[in-house]
Amino acid sequence: MSTETATTTGPPQAAAPVPLRRNWRFQALWAGQAGATLGLQIADTAYPLLLLALTGSSTLAGAFGALQISASLLFGLHGGAVADRCDRRRLLIAGDCVRLVACASVPAAMALDRLTLAHTLLVAVVIGATIAYTGPIRLIAVRSVVPPEQLRQALAQDEARMSGAGLIGPPLAGALFGLGRAAPFVGTAVASLLALTAALVVRFPGRPESGACRAGTAGGTADSGADGTADGGALAGYRYLAANALLRPVLAVVLLINVAGAAMLLPVMVILRGQGTSSAGIGLALAGEAVGALAGALLVSRLHRTAGPGVLLLAVSWLTVPVLLAPLLPGGPVTVFAALFVVGLGIPTLRVMIDLLVFSRVPDALRGRVISATLTMFTVGMPAGTVGSGLLLDHLSPAAALGTVAALLAAGLVPATAGRTLRRSGWPERTPAATPSP
């Protein structure tokens, strides 16, 4: 037998995966997600300013964000269930179409001088609802177009996108307002169009079994699968999380961090205002977290190699405790920026950790509901923290309110730290992911 024959009949060598920078489907999805995130960041700043100008009421200005979050929470259960029983790509396209129409209706109504308060608040509800339906699908889509060995790198790049949008969005909204009253809302519509274009161009697996919707989306009447994951109704995601001994403390600790982080904002703003810091200075100080997260996206792989997921989670969580007290130190906005920057460095690491430990290990038939349940739990933490800090400020000084939040966070971290589950947890040996389709 010749050497040539032996070579050609040997076992085939696995082809090296295409680098992410040349994976056009991932990059197109990334660009679409960046557009969607940036549009939401612009909207979060522009719409309250618009409502304040229309009504002069700060309560109504804050109603936009409240309605948007409420709609996301209200539709979250159904959004996750539908994502597990319908063609995900079609749902993503439909959700992006609805959001584009809603966002484009605002500058159109302004051009016709027909914009009303009810119209603007309805847009808040629509945006929140579309987040509930498209958010889980965007997370699922990423892992369907990259091989398992590149997933951590892809998720780190996705974190850079989120942090960059969080940093650019608010000042961009202000700059667009300087160009014209309707300019920020045209910007949100353009960003929504970019997200829709990516969803139309990139094909990714919709459902392993079938693309058609099945009965029992909102209830527990769907046909049971052999593994028990295809049934269980909309609450199956919560039951999955509650039944996992590792995920329970992981999600509880992250929820505590979200509540404490949201509770910190109002007392910090009051303290900085009392020190004579301008509104622009307060905004720059609070941007420290986004800047830190942008830098932290570059450290994800290195930090994951340094320690296990539970140890990293506990380290970032305990680091948050003194950060909550940093505004009481001298330095004003500079100190606040530096403290938020430090804690922001660990945020991408924790987000990618959640994806690797939770989303990537869930059976695909249940993944939409688990992602929706997780995002809903984290979203609840933000308004809970904001309301809680407001109640504290009604009875305590800003310094005492921050001390109380720090003490409550520390008390909540003690059981998780004392237990062995988090401290002994390790990274999965292999990250499951859908095989990229040709």
Side-chain angles (χ1 to χ4, degrees), residues 14 38 96 152 154 184 189 289 360 362 364 369 434:
L38 182 59
D96 285 345
R152 183 179 271 107
E289 182 178 337
S360 297
V362 176
D364 190 61
R369 282 168 287 178

Side-chain angles (χ1 to χ4, degrees), residues 35 53 73 93 121 163 196 244 278 288 293 329 343 346 427:
L73 294 174
I93 292 172
L121 296 180
S163 301
L196 174 60
N244 191 295
S278 65
L329 300 175
V343 77
W427 298 107

Side-chain angles (χ1 to χ4, degrees), residues 87-399:
D87 186 284
R88 291 163 176 165
R89 181 169 174 267
R90 292 182 180 179
L91 282 172
L92 181 61
I93 292 172
D96 285 345
C97 283
V98 171
R99 183 163 63 240
L100 174 59
V101 171
C103 291
S105 71
V106 173
M110 294 175 73
L112 298 173
D113 199 21
R114 295 297 180 90
L115 184 65
T116 63
L117 174 63
H119 181 174
T120 308
L121 296 180
L122 178 61
V123 170
V125 174
V126 173
I127 291 177
T130 58
I131 292 173
Y133 288 97
T134 62
I137 298 175
R138 292 191 190 281
L139 291 174
I140 293 172
V142 170
R143 66 181 33 79
S144 69
V145 297
V146 297
E149 58 268 27
Q150 292 181 341
L151 184 57
R152 183 179 271 107
Q153 180 186 356
L155 294 174
Q157 183 173 329
D158 204 44
E159 284 301 314
R161 180 260 310 173
M162 292 183 61
S163 301
L167 184 62
I168 296 172
L172 180 58
L176 289 174
F177 260 121
L179 299 178
R181 188 181 183 188
F185 309 102
V186 174
T188 60
V190 171
S192 299
L193 178 61
L194 177 61
L196 174 60
T197 301
L200 290 169
V201 170
V202 180
R203 294 186 177 275
F204 58 89
R207 283 281 300 162
E209 300 87 2
S210 169
C213 288
R214 305 209 310 257
T217 298
T221 59
D223 295 337
S224 299
D227 59 358
T229 59
D231 61 355
L235 295 177
Y238 290 94
R239 287 194 289 269
Y240 179 91
L241 296 174
N244 191 295
L246 174 60
L247 300 186
R248 287 197 302 269
V250 166
L251 297 179
V253 170
V254 176
L255 177 61
L256 281 174
I257 297 176
N258 281 351
V259 173
M264 174 187 183
L265 293 179
L266 189 56
V268 167
M269 288 189 285
V270 174
I271 290 174
L272 292 179
R273 178 67 73 184
Q275 294 174 350
T277 307
S278 65
S279 297
I282 294 175
L284 289 174
L286 297 179
E289 182 178 337
V291 176
L294 189 60
L298 304 175
L299 304 176
V300 170
S301 296
R302 181 175 300 178
L303 291 175
H304 283 193
R305 291 193 299 266
T306 302
V311 172
L312 285 176
L313 175 60
L314 291 173
V316 174
S317 303
W318 280 108
L319 182 62
T320 306
V321 175
V323 166
L324 291 170
L325 303 175
L328 306 181
L329 300 175
V334 176
T335 301
V336 172
F337 181 94
L340 292 178
F341 177 88
V342 170
V343 77
L345 287 172
I347 290 177
T349 296
L350 297 189
R351 286 176 176 165
V352 175
M353 179 199 73
I354 292 294
D355 199 297
L356 296 177
L357 290 183
V358 184
F359 304 156
S360 297
R361 305 176 76 177
V362 176
D364 190 61
L366 189 60
R367 186 167 288 156
R369 282 168 287 178
V370 170
I371 292 177
S372 178
T374 304
L375 296 180
T376 299
M377 290 174 60
F378 293 167
T379 302
V380 167
M382 294 183 288
T386 302
V387 172
S389 66
L391 293 174
L392 288 175
L393 289 174
D394 286 340
H395 302 89
L396 302 173
S397 68

